[in-house]
Amino acid sequence: MLDTICAISTVLGKSAIGIIRISGFLSRNIVKKLIGDIAPKLAEISDEIVFGDIWERQELSKRDRILITVSALIAMNRSEQLPFHFNRAFENGIAQEELIEVITHLAFYSG
């Protein structure tokens, strides 16, 4: 069960993101749980490739990968995906203050 939420609002045409911890939601079969009934093959491939291969590669730490992912999602304005990835960030050692700093930094490069 989610014990908190991630709230996203718009203020003066800019995204203001309040980050609140989400827990107990992630697993390797997350895509299967979300869309497996609708698109089982897509869910299987996504779980195997994204969470089974890409996230497990040793060339970057999971901490680095999640910072890159969150940055890309913010830059592309994919706010609907941020709650899930904010949680991954917390689970991989990123502090709320660090995420706030990433958002602040990106506001001048992608906003």
Side-chain angles (χ1 to χ4, degrees):
M1 175 183 284
L2 299 180
D3 62 3
T4 55
I5 61 168
C6 174
I8 300 174
S9 64
T10 302
V11 177
L12 301 174
K14 300 280 183 177
S15 292
I17 302 174
I19 305 167
I20 305 171
R21 192 171 197 155
I22 302 169
S23 67
F25 189 62
L26 298 177
S27 74
R28 184 159 181 263
N29 294 317
I30 191 65
V31 180
K32 183 178 181 181
K33 291 176 183 176
L34 294 174
I35 64 167
D37 291 341
I38 299 166
K41 189 61 177 179
L42 176 61
E44 176 188 341
I45 292 168
S46 296
D47 280 334
E48 288 177 9
I49 293 172
V50 175
F51 296 105
D53 181 26
I54 301 298
W55 276 92
E56 298 304 320
R57 294 173 55 85
Q58 299 300 309
E59 290 77 12
L60 291 172
S61 69
K62 287 183 181 180
R63 187 180 199 285
D64 290 345
R65 286 184 193 283
I66 196 59
L67 280 174
I68 293 165
T69 302
V70 166
S71 296
L73 293 172
I74 292 168
M76 295 185 303
N77 196 26
R78 300 291 197 265
S79 58
E80 71 283 352
Q81 294 183 35
L82 287 173
F84 174 83
H85 288 89
F86 283 159
N87 191 48
R88 283 192 72 91
F90 293 131
E91 290 186 356
N92 284 288
I94 306 295
Q96 179 171 322
E97 295 75 19
E98 290 175 289
L99 286 176
I100 291 168
E101 190 61 28
V102 166
I103 293 164
T104 302
H105 185 78
L106 286 171
F108 296 96
Y109 290 96
S110 64

